[in-house]
Amino acid sequence: MSACVVFCLGAAIQCGARNRAMLIVGRFVAGLGVGVLSMSVPVFQSEIAPPHIRGRLVSLQQWAITWGILVAFWIDYGCHFIKSDASWRIPIGIQIVPAVILFVSMFFMPYSPRWLVDNDRVDEARVVLARLRSGGNLDASEVVEELHEIREAVRIDRETAVRSYADLLRVPIRRRVILGVLIQALQQLTGINVSMYFATSIFKQSGLNGDNAPLLAQGVNGVVNMLATIPAILWVDRWGRRKTLMLGSLGCGITYFIQAVATGATQHKTYDEDGSLNLNIPHGPSYLIIVMMYLFVASFAVSWGPIGWIYPSEIFPTRIRSKANSITTAANWLFNFVIGLVSPILIKKITWGLDLIFAVIMFFSIAIIYFFYPETKNRSLEDMEVIFSGSIWANKDRQRITEYDNANQGHADAKMAKE
């Protein structure tokens, strides 16, 4: 709720800006709100969600982001016909509306049961769990068992409490922090925001002419992004994190490679009087490049888009989850900033070379996921202590996890037999 207030203040300053300094200050203030929200929302979702649909619920955040991008684009498209400063003040001002809606909605949201237990409010945690899991039945077996698991996990966390950010670099938490930071960095190194921020320029370079054609093509880009996130919402808890990420990387890498080949083989660089670059690509290859860009966005949206937020939100113990996720989220925004800063220069200097760089990163990320990232689908947040206590080589640690699952199943079967 505090983040919503901060964001509204920043958006209001931007909307009423009278000079560049005021606009930058407004952006900074709004950015503080966005940073807090982008860290806390997936954490909250993961803490209230049951394991078998946790990925689906956290994926809804990414889907909401794609809707925001889509709606924002079409608002911008409509406002670009306005021939005054209202063309940018209106879109900035409209941002306040969803922030106000979120602020009001939070009055009706429960506290996280894990946060309540961590703050010694166990009875309230039980009530919240009953509302979320059993329609209000406080004595339901799933409520009693999950509350016991949470209390035990909190007890263990307190014995090894992280008191500062420096403690995040200590074993055994360090491994998870590295994996969380890396997956957020790789989400940005897919190059998705190059497609989102600079799609209009890329479409122009690829041969789409006229004032509105590149803008409309970018609008279609947003539609593809939104629609392709839906399969992840529906099936990410069935597909798993590892396979989905590796297939997404493969799809992104292939589309980038085809774009690089098509551009490099057919481009003929010329420059306008204002210094704008034209690649003069023939119609056939230019249409192929545009299709590949849409397929890249679809590959990202079904994989790296949602799982880049799911994975960090579910792998950390309760007492350090907020601190650790603030670091992983900061990594996401840092790489977003760097890529947004250097990409326009690289697009102009090396054109298809940038596609090739992203293709190599995507193919390399397949190996990173395969060797280092354990599968977390259908695991309780308390199970993560076991999942990440073995070898750093995730591909070699599957036998231990299988033995753990078999032992748990044996205990469950024995308990049912007694009942």
Side-chain angles (χ1 to χ4, degrees), residues 6 9 70 143 149 151 165 217 247 272 329 338 344 354 357 396 400:
V6 172
L9 176 62
L70 179 62
V143 173
E149 290 178 359
R151 294 182 70 178
Y165 279 94
L247 288 174
D272 295 335
T329 303
V338 172
L354 183 58
I357 291 171
K396 295 180 179 180
R400 184 184 65 87

Side-chain angles (χ1 to χ4, degrees), residues 30-40 329 333:
L32 294 176
V34 172
V36 173
L37 289 169
S38 59
M39 181 276 290
S40 58
T329 303
W333 288 110

Side-chain angles (χ1 to χ4, degrees), residues 145-163:
E145 290 176 5
E146 186 170 353
L147 183 60
H148 173 73
E149 290 178 359
I150 294 172
R151 294 182 70 178
E152 183 64 15
V154 168
R155 181 189 67 79
I156 295 172
D157 288 346
R158 285 175 176 175
E159 293 175 357
T160 57
V162 172
R163 296 178 176 82

Side-chain angles (χ1 to χ4, degrees), residues 220-392:
V220 175
N221 213 21
V223 173
V224 171
N225 190 24
M226 183 272 294
L227 293 177
T229 306
I230 295 175
I233 296 172
L234 298 176
W235 297 304
V236 70
D237 288 308
R238 183 185 305 174
W239 296 341
R241 300 357 174 196
R242 282 165 53 87
K243 291 180 181 178
T244 306
L245 286 174
M246 287 189 287
L247 288 174
S249 292
L250 182 63
C252 292
I254 290 173
T255 55
Y256 269 131
F257 183 75
I258 293 174
Q259 287 183 65
V261 172
T263 305
T266 61
Q267 70 178 8
H268 176 64
K269 291 184 180 180
T270 59
Y271 294 89
D272 295 335
E273 292 181 358
D274 61 0
S276 299
L277 172 66
N278 295 310
L279 298 182
N280 299 300
I281 299 173
H283 286 302
S286 70
Y287 293 145
L288 174 63
I289 292 167
I290 292 168
V291 170
M292 287 301 105
M293 180 174 286
Y294 290 151
L295 290 177
F296 156 72
V297 170
S299 297
F300 169 87
V302 80
S303 57
W304 283 95
I307 298 179
W309 296 105
I310 293 171
Y311 205 89
S313 72
E314 63 186 0
I315 64 176
F316 296 108
T318 301
R319 290 185 70 82
I320 68 163
R321 192 168 292 130
S322 294
K323 280 188 173 68
N325 273 276
S326 69
I327 296 297
T328 62
T329 303
N332 184 292
W333 288 110
L334 174 62
F335 277 83
N336 186 333
F337 169 75
V338 172
I339 290 172
L341 198 65
V342 303
S343 291
I345 301 170
L346 295 178
I347 289 172
K348 188 172 182 179
K349 295 292 184 181
I350 62 175
T351 59
W352 61 272
L354 183 58
D355 293 328
L356 198 58
I357 291 171
F358 284 133
V360 171
I361 292 173
M362 287 294 90
F363 291 138
F364 186 61
S365 70
I366 297 174
I368 293 175
I369 298 300
Y370 178 78
F371 287 114
F372 297 110
Y373 281 79
E375 182 56 67
T376 58
K377 72 170 183 177
N378 297 330
R379 301 286 182 183
S380 71
L381 297 182
E382 289 66 42
D383 278 343
M384 298 303 168
E385 293 302 312
V386 176
I387 301 301
F388 287 93
S389 63
S391 170
I392 64 170

Side-chain angles (χ1 to χ4, degrees), residues 389-403:
S389 63
S391 170
I392 64 170
W393 299 96
N395 62 308
K396 295 180 179 180
D397 202 35
R398 284 178 289 184
Q399 180 61 37
R400 184 184 65 87
I401 302 301
T402 301
E403 292 173 358

